[in-house]
Amino acid sequence: MVDVYIQDLAAHVGKEVTLKGWLYNGREGGKIMFLILRDGTGLCQCVATQDSLSEEDWLKAKSLTQESSFTVTGTIRADERAPGGHEMDVRTLDVVAIAEEYPITPKEHGIEFLADRRHLWIRSRRQVAILRIRHTIIRAIRNFFDDHGFTLFDAPILTPNAVEGTSTLFETEYFKLGKAYLTQSGQLYGESGAMALGKIYVFGPTFRAEESKTRRHLTEFWMVEPEMAWFDLDDDMKLAEDFISHIVQAVLKERPNELAELERDTAVLEKIVPPFPRVSYDEAVEMLHSDKTARMVDDRIAAAEKEAEELKAELASNKEQYGKVKEWQRKKFDAREIQINNRLTDLEEMLRNLPKWKESARNFEHGGDLGGSDETLLTWYFDKPVIVHRYPAAVKAFYMKRDPQDESKALAMDVLAPEGYGEIIGGSQREDNLDFLLERIEEHKLPKEVFEWFLDLRRYGSVPHAGFGLGVERTVSWICGLDHVRETIPFPRLIHRNRP
RNA sequence: UCCUCGGUAGCUCAAUGGUAGAGCAUGCGGCUGUUAACCGCAGGGUUGCAAGUUCGAGUCUUGCCCGGGGAGCCA
């Protein structure tokens, strides 16, 4: 086992300790060597000189390749220049295993290359930071519910039918009982739990066989779904904003180093406290139709065009100078060219999309569901998550209760994260009237037989109740400021990838 | 399923239709404070696959394969 981990080095300054880990990177300078040791809790630069080591240990140190495992013993010294703030002056060193040539070099790699090596990629600093924040988020989720009188209620993963009938699910043969499906939501079971225990939360993996190929979708993801007896829609929204705020504040408090590693702007996260802005669907549609929305899009188009022009000018100027400058300057031009081209590709994508977004918002038809771009435009109005509520019943699930003030609306709510991260929560007050629920099941052409047990919840002491589902990966992606959910889970499952 | 962008050395990327290059990685040599170290030398290629246009194709055309981003759907 390990006596001392790198994250605890502050308590060992001036003392001799042994560290165990892997070589993250190394630099050699004649008779001095800098070994960056990685132990899973941090990085420590170990300084070895030819004078301070035996000849045998010096040769061992020289033999280390990237990701070779080894142990080092030496004195810990505080040093501001070192990442993590501490360094070791090495006295002795032992090699455990010399690594073969490691594919993931300390340079840039494409996403396909890294995804094929996900089992190694997770050793990288950035991935370690993300996975630690994921852990903190999951703990914050559980703490929040546990401290608010909720009981964990596990729903089955194999289910006999689709919850909402709309999604495509993964199916499998279930002995002699016919088809079974991997769950797309634990909600219906959660409702039974709320009637038994009052306040519960279902927390587990969820599966969708939709061919969604975007930065927000996985085929297998984790969702937490609280369900509360005696809660109405307002109670539900209040809980959601308290819940999200608690998670964000917990990450800010417990993971400042990891957020720094990810270069996350924490100022925008500090603002995530209740209350969140609330916009009804009708208000949202007005906002989409407004001149202000059109102007916001125009401003972004203008900014993107300006940036693209400046970058193209720089590229042209660099090309002109390229032939005239010394070789060492050419390297800088080469590196800059790659950087500029990557940014230009992003800008071109934006410039293709933004006019479409503007049109789609301007022509949005009242009564339809909000599209991804419409949601993004709405979030531009606020620096906190925005809650959109009371959607048209026609675009929402059968189990959502109708608004008594306006029968065309469902008592539904979505929470949209800022900065374009989109829907992180979808929830509603549930239909508690047996007859209405039966009507809905008929309207949606769902097989009544498989919902009999669910209908029983309305037959035996039905009460108003509500709940929501929060997508863990989307939440991690937003809080970490990532551009894709595939980095938020150890082994992401995507439409074109189910390995490693 | 549809729209859109791409596939060149192990990796990240350059290359007006005219002799395929750079950085990193790897190997060897040099350097006692490096921070994705640096300096010198070396090896490394069926330009995704197939056909076509052309004196000549990484570059143009068509088809296919693979991947990125997006739509629909959703967390």
mmCIF file with all atom_site columns, all heavy atoms in Angstrom, chain A residues 232-243:
data_model
loop_
_atom_site.group_PDB
_atom_site.id
_atom_site.type_symbol
_atom_site.label_atom_id
_atom_site.label_alt_id
_atom_site.label_comp_id
_atom_site.label_asym_id
_atom_site.label_entity_id
_atom_site.label_seq_id
_atom_site.pdbx_PDB_ins_code
_atom_site.Cartn_x
_atom_site.Cartn_y
_atom_site.Cartn_z
_atom_site.occupancy
_atom_site.B_iso_or_equiv
_atom_site.pdbx_formal_charge
_atom_site.auth_seq_id
_atom_site.auth_comp_id
_atom_site.auth_asym_id
_atom_site.auth_atom_id
_atom_site.pdbx_PDB_model_num
ATOM 1  N N   . ASP A 1 232 ? -46.725 20.185 -5.483  1.00 0.00 ? 232 ASP A N   1
ATOM 2  C CA  . ASP A 1 232 ? -47.301 20.667 -6.741  1.00 0.00 ? 232 ASP A CA  1
ATOM 3  C C   . ASP A 1 232 ? -46.167 21.211 -7.617  1.00 0.00 ? 232 ASP A C   1
ATOM 4  O O   . ASP A 1 232 ? -44.996 21.107 -7.253  1.00 0.00 ? 232 ASP A O   1
ATOM 5  C CB  . ASP A 1 232 ? -48.400 21.712 -6.502  1.00 0.00 ? 232 ASP A CB  1
ATOM 6  C CG  . ASP A 1 232 ? -47.878 22.965 -5.815  1.00 0.00 ? 232 ASP A CG  1
ATOM 7  O OD1 . ASP A 1 232 ? -46.638 23.171 -5.810  1.00 0.00 ? 232 ASP A OD1 1
ATOM 8  O OD2 . ASP A 1 232 ? -48.697 23.733 -5.283  1.00 0.00 ? 232 ASP A OD2 1
ATOM 9  N N   . LEU A 1 233 ? -46.504 21.783 -8.769  1.00 0.00 ? 233 LEU A N   1
ATOM 10 C CA  . LEU A 1 233 ? -45.469 22.228 -9.704  1.00 0.00 ? 233 LEU A CA  1
ATOM 11 C C   . LEU A 1 233 ? -44.548 23.282 -9.084  1.00 0.00 ? 233 LEU A C   1
ATOM 12 O O   . LEU A 1 233 ? -43.329 23.245 -9.289  1.00 0.00 ? 233 LEU A O   1
ATOM 13 C CB  . LEU A 1 233 ? -46.103 22.776 -10.988 1.00 0.00 ? 233 LEU A CB  1
ATOM 14 C CG  . LEU A 1 233 ? -45.091 23.208 -12.053 1.00 0.00 ? 233 LEU A CG  1
ATOM 15 C CD1 . LEU A 1 233 ? -44.336 22.008 -12.614 1.00 0.00 ? 233 LEU A CD1 1
ATOM 16 C CD2 . LEU A 1 233 ? -45.766 23.974 -13.191 1.00 0.00 ? 233 LEU A CD2 1
ATOM 17 N N   . ASP A 1 234 ? -45.142 24.216 -8.308  1.00 0.00 ? 234 ASP A N   1
ATOM 18 C CA  . ASP A 1 234 ? -44.309 25.251 -7.689  1.00 0.00 ? 234 ASP A CA  1
ATOM 19 C C   . ASP A 1 234 ? -43.319 24.642 -6.699  1.00 0.00 ? 234 ASP A C   1
ATOM 20 O O   . ASP A 1 234 ? -42.158 25.053 -6.643  1.00 0.00 ? 234 ASP A O   1
ATOM 21 C CB  . ASP A 1 234 ? -45.201 26.290 -6.977  1.00 0.00 ? 234 ASP A CB  1
ATOM 22 C CG  . ASP A 1 234 ? -45.859 27.228 -7.978  1.00 0.00 ? 234 ASP A CG  1
ATOM 23 O OD1 . ASP A 1 234 ? -45.329 27.337 -9.113  1.00 0.00 ? 234 ASP A OD1 1
ATOM 24 O OD2 . ASP A 1 234 ? -46.893 27.825 -7.643  1.00 0.00 ? 234 ASP A OD2 1
ATOM 25 N N   . ASP A 1 235 ? -43.806 23.682 -5.907  1.00 0.00 ? 235 ASP A N   1
ATOM 26 C CA  . ASP A 1 235 ? -42.904 22.993 -4.970  1.00 0.00 ? 235 ASP A CA  1
ATOM 27 C C   . ASP A 1 235 ? -41.772 22.309 -5.730  1.00 0.00 ? 235 ASP A C   1
ATOM 28 O O   . ASP A 1 235 ? -40.613 22.301 -5.302  1.00 0.00 ? 235 ASP A O   1
ATOM 29 C CB  . ASP A 1 235 ? -43.671 21.935 -4.172  1.00 0.00 ? 235 ASP A CB  1
ATOM 30 C CG  . ASP A 1 235 ? -44.796 22.535 -3.322  1.00 0.00 ? 235 ASP A CG  1
ATOM 31 O OD1 . ASP A 1 235 ? -44.630 23.669 -2.844  1.00 0.00 ? 235 ASP A OD1 1
ATOM 32 O OD2 . ASP A 1 235 ? -45.832 21.862 -3.162  1.00 0.00 ? 235 ASP A OD2 1
ATOM 33 N N   . ASP A 1 236 ? -42.130 21.734 -6.872  1.00 0.00 ? 236 ASP A N   1
ATOM 34 C CA  . ASP A 1 236 ? -41.181 20.991 -7.698  1.00 0.00 ? 236 ASP A CA  1
ATOM 35 C C   . ASP A 1 236 ? -40.077 21.932 -8.207  1.00 0.00 ? 236 ASP A C   1
ATOM 36 O O   . ASP A 1 236 ? -38.884 21.613 -8.142  1.00 0.00 ? 236 ASP A O   1
ATOM 37 C CB  . ASP A 1 236 ? -41.945 20.379 -8.887  1.00 0.00 ? 236 ASP A CB  1
ATOM 38 C CG  . ASP A 1 236 ? -41.262 19.150 -9.469  1.00 0.00 ? 236 ASP A CG  1
ATOM 39 O OD1 . ASP A 1 236 ? -40.588 18.428 -8.706  1.00 0.00 ? 236 ASP A OD1 1
ATOM 40 O OD2 . ASP A 1 236 ? -41.418 18.911 -10.679 1.00 0.00 ? 236 ASP A OD2 1
ATOM 41 N N   . MET A 1 237 ? -40.487 23.104 -8.697  1.00 0.00 ? 237 MET A N   1
ATOM 42 C CA  . MET A 1 237 ? -39.519 24.061 -9.233  1.00 0.00 ? 237 MET A CA  1
ATOM 43 C C   . MET A 1 237 ? -38.614 24.595 -8.129  1.00 0.00 ? 237 MET A C   1
ATOM 44 O O   . MET A 1 237 ? -37.410 24.782 -8.320  1.00 0.00 ? 237 MET A O   1
ATOM 45 C CB  . MET A 1 237 ? -40.253 25.217 -9.935  1.00 0.00 ? 237 MET A CB  1
ATOM 46 C CG  . MET A 1 237 ? -40.985 24.774 -11.197 1.00 0.00 ? 237 MET A CG  1
ATOM 47 S SD  . MET A 1 237 ? -41.540 26.148 -12.249 1.00 0.00 ? 237 MET A SD  1
ATOM 48 C CE  . MET A 1 237 ? -42.973 26.707 -11.373 1.00 0.00 ? 237 MET A CE  1
ATOM 49 N N   . LYS A 1 238 ? -39.216 24.837 -6.957  1.00 0.00 ? 238 LYS A N   1
ATOM 50 C CA  . LYS A 1 238 ? -38.424 25.330 -5.815  1.00 0.00 ? 238 LYS A CA  1
ATOM 51 C C   . LYS A 1 238 ? -37.356 24.300 -5.436  1.00 0.00 ? 238 LYS A C   1
ATOM 52 O O   . LYS A 1 238 ? -36.192 24.643 -5.195  1.00 0.00 ? 238 LYS A O   1
ATOM 53 C CB  . LYS A 1 238 ? -39.371 25.586 -4.629  1.00 0.00 ? 238 LYS A CB  1
ATOM 54 C CG  . LYS A 1 238 ? -38.696 26.095 -3.366  1.00 0.00 ? 238 LYS A CG  1
ATOM 55 C CD  . LYS A 1 238 ? -38.442 27.596 -3.457  1.00 0.00 ? 238 LYS A CD  1
ATOM 56 C CE  . LYS A 1 238 ? -37.801 28.156 -2.180  1.00 0.00 ? 238 LYS A CE  1
ATOM 57 N NZ  . LYS A 1 238 ? -36.428 27.704 -1.970  1.00 0.00 ? 238 LYS A NZ  1
ATOM 58 N N   . LEU A 1 239 ? -37.775 23.032 -5.397  1.00 0.00 ? 239 LEU A N   1
ATOM 59 C CA  . LEU A 1 239 ? -36.829 21.976 -5.048  1.00 0.00 ? 239 LEU A CA  1
ATOM 60 C C   . LEU A 1 239 ? -35.705 21.912 -6.082  1.00 0.00 ? 239 LEU A C   1
ATOM 61 O O   . LEU A 1 239 ? -34.528 21.796 -5.734  1.00 0.00 ? 239 LEU A O   1
ATOM 62 C CB  . LEU A 1 239 ? -37.544 20.622 -4.977  1.00 0.00 ? 239 LEU A CB  1
ATOM 63 C CG  . LEU A 1 239 ? -36.643 19.465 -4.523  1.00 0.00 ? 239 LEU A CG  1
ATOM 64 C CD1 . LEU A 1 239 ? -36.437 19.510 -3.010  1.00 0.00 ? 239 LEU A CD1 1
ATOM 65 C CD2 . LEU A 1 239 ? -37.224 18.111 -4.927  1.00 0.00 ? 239 LEU A CD2 1
ATOM 66 N N   . ALA A 1 240 ? -36.062 22.032 -7.353  1.00 0.00 ? 240 ALA A N   1
ATOM 67 C CA  . ALA A 1 240 ? -35.071 21.920 -8.425  1.00 0.00 ? 240 ALA A CA  1
ATOM 68 C C   . ALA A 1 240 ? -34.009 23.014 -8.321  1.00 0.00 ? 240 ALA A C   1
ATOM 69 O O   . ALA A 1 240 ? -32.815 22.757 -8.478  1.00 0.00 ? 240 ALA A O   1
ATOM 70 C CB  . ALA A 1 240 ? -35.762 21.973 -9.790  1.00 0.00 ? 240 ALA A CB  1
ATOM 71 N N   . GLU A 1 241 ? -34.435 24.243 -8.031  1.00 0.00 ? 241 GLU A N   1
ATOM 72 C CA  . GLU A 1 241 ? -33.443 25.324 -7.979  1.00 0.00 ? 241 GLU A CA  1
ATOM 73 C C   . GLU A 1 241 ? -32.570 25.216 -6.730  1.00 0.00 ? 241 GLU A C   1
ATOM 74 O O   . GLU A 1 241 ? -31.368 25.488 -6.781  1.00 0.00 ? 241 GLU A O   1
ATOM 75 C CB  . GLU A 1 241 ? -34.108 26.704 -8.107  1.00 0.00 ? 241 GLU A CB  1
ATOM 76 C CG  . GLU A 1 241 ? -34.954 27.109 -6.925  1.00 0.00 ? 241 GLU A CG  1
ATOM 77 C CD  . GLU A 1 241 ? -35.763 28.382 -7.199  1.00 0.00 ? 241 GLU A CD  1
ATOM 78 O OE1 . GLU A 1 241 ? -35.738 28.884 -8.333  1.00 0.00 ? 241 GLU A OE1 1
ATOM 79 O OE2 . GLU A 1 241 ? -36.428 28.860 -6.265  1.00 0.00 ? 241 GLU A OE2 1
ATOM 80 N N   . ASP A 1 242 ? -33.163 24.792 -5.618  1.00 0.00 ? 242 ASP A N   1
ATOM 81 C CA  . ASP A 1 242 ? -32.350 24.578 -4.407  1.00 0.00 ? 242 ASP A CA  1
ATOM 82 C C   . ASP A 1 242 ? -31.334 23.455 -4.640  1.00 0.00 ? 242 ASP A C   1
ATOM 83 O O   . ASP A 1 242 ? -30.176 23.542 -4.230  1.00 0.00 ? 242 ASP A O   1
ATOM 84 C CB  . ASP A 1 242 ? -33.247 24.197 -3.218  1.00 0.00 ? 242 ASP A CB  1
ATOM 85 C CG  . ASP A 1 242 ? -34.037 25.377 -2.682  1.00 0.00 ? 242 ASP A CG  1
ATOM 86 O OD1 . ASP A 1 242 ? -33.678 26.529 -3.025  1.00 0.00 ? 242 ASP A OD1 1
ATOM 87 O OD2 . ASP A 1 242 ? -35.017 25.155 -1.944  1.00 0.00 ? 242 ASP A OD2 1
ATOM 88 N N   . PHE A 1 243 ? -31.810 22.422 -5.310  1.00 0.00 ? 243 PHE A N   1
ATOM 89 C CA  . PHE A 1 243 ? -31.002 21.235 -5.586  1.00 0.00 ? 243 PHE A CA  1
ATOM 90 C C   . PHE A 1 243 ? -29.798 21.577 -6.470  1.00 0.00 ? 243 PHE A C   1
ATOM 91 O O   . PHE A 1 243 ? -28.643 21.277 -6.135  1.00 0.00 ? 243 PHE A O   1
ATOM 92 C CB  . PHE A 1 243 ? -31.918 20.210 -6.265  1.00 0.00 ? 243 PHE A CB  1
ATOM 93 C CG  . PHE A 1 243 ? -31.266 18.969 -6.768  1.00 0.00 ? 243 PHE A CG  1
ATOM 94 C CD1 . PHE A 1 243 ? -30.514 18.171 -5.922  1.00 0.00 ? 243 PHE A CD1 1
ATOM 95 C CD2 . PHE A 1 243 ? -31.423 18.574 -8.094  1.00 0.00 ? 243 PHE A CD2 1
ATOM 96 C CE1 . PHE A 1 243 ? -29.930 16.996 -6.383  1.00 0.00 ? 243 PHE A CE1 1
ATOM 97 C CE2 . PHE A 1 243 ? -30.853 17.411 -8.566  1.00 0.00 ? 243 PHE A CE2 1
ATOM 98 C CZ  . PHE A 1 243 ? -30.097 16.624 -7.703  1.00 0.00 ? 243 PHE A CZ  1
#
